[in-house]
Amino acid sequence: MAPDQTRPRIAALEVGGTKCICAVGRTPVELRLPANRLEVPSDAGPQQVLSRITEWFAAQHAREPLQAIGIASFGPLDLDPASPSYGSITSTPKPGWRDTDWLGAFARALPQVPVAIDTDVNGAALGEWQWGAAQGLDDFVYLTMGTGIGGGAMVGGRLVHGLLHPEMGHMRVPRIAGDDFAGVCPFHGDCWEGLCSGPALQARTGKAASALAADDPAWDYLLRYTAYAIGNIVCALSPRRIILGGSVRKAGALGEAAFFAGLRRELQRSLNGYVASAALTGKGSGGIDDYIVPPTQGDDAGICGAMVLAQRLVERPAVEG
């Protein structure tokens, strides 16, 4: 099918803890074409990564003009337009990335192209709202569990920002009796991210999540702690759906289906019938199986959301973040 030349040609960038995905195109289908994509490992450090990314986008712009750039980045981010560090990463646990200025780098490389930026999880939420598991919903939460843990919330059709932006991965959860694992978060130790992120599983077991056996006790800890955290989100925001992405949810030998089944069971146990909704207590269609789900866009939810951020600059769709 020929591309729709009436749509703006967009640059989309997802900045993750392990890699950055760059893509250009007019639709999500175009973003997925190998010729339109570049992946850059983020462990090279911010200066090399920024240089490689901006050079690639500049070459794409020279080949065919880009009309806007959308960035969905891990954080925390400064998202206050009045702040002198607007568009920069702030107090991140990722070594070497604090004060990385995304907007400044693109302003220097492509000064004529407007740029929109938001968190990686808000970007993924937008991608799922536009094309995925959140279509038709104005109240939902997108969560990711990978190198870090984060969440993006849409409430009443608007993404939540506030003072900074939600940092759901750093909420504290009750400790399970007998679990003396200290956690890996450099700020909080045993917050949800400190206990259940990919690096936390590695530190607890000595193995990556993808290498853990199906019966490893670490899965029990992870599912219970994650259910506690999601229960907090349910009580605080009352979302109509939870979409859970990231690498950890693929769950190695346990498998994604068993991971989600266990998580749904633990969430019901944690809430203990308090939230009286069929979405949480029922089975099958319209029940708990439809309440906590993987992203329809899979690992491309973030890059699709970055496209939405950029499209909003030139198309002004109805929903604002």
Side-chain angles (χ1 to χ4, degrees), residues 40-170:
V40 180
S42 57
D43 57 5
Q47 296 309 314
Q48 291 186 46
V49 171
L50 262 67
S51 177
R52 180 75 180 94
I53 287 172
T54 54
E55 286 175 3
W56 188 80
F57 278 124
Q60 294 297 317
H61 181 67
R63 185 172 298 117
E64 182 183 349
L66 300 166
Q67 293 177 256
I69 299 166
I71 303 173
S73 172
F74 72 82
L77 294 173
D78 184 345
L79 296 177
D80 179 1
S83 170
S85 59
Y86 173 53
S88 297
I89 294 172
T90 62
S91 53
T92 179
K94 186 171 177 60
W97 282 80
R98 183 169 184 145
D99 300 324
T100 299
D101 181 7
W102 285 110
L103 289 191
F106 276 93
R108 291 186 292 273
L110 291 161
Q112 66 276 49
V113 184
V115 183
I117 187 169
D118 209 328
T119 63
D120 52 353
V121 282
N122 273 354
L126 281 176
E128 288 294 309
W129 167 79
Q130 183 77 24
W131 295 295
Q135 290 181 91
L137 298 177
D138 284 343
D139 299 275
F140 70 94
V141 170
Y142 181 94
L143 300 169
T144 187
M145 298 178 67
T147 305
I149 295 178
M154 181 174 283
V155 176
R158 296 175 65 89
L159 290 174
V160 175
H161 290 100
L163 180 67
L164 184 65
H165 48 74
E167 281 291 340
M168 299 181 198
H170 292 270

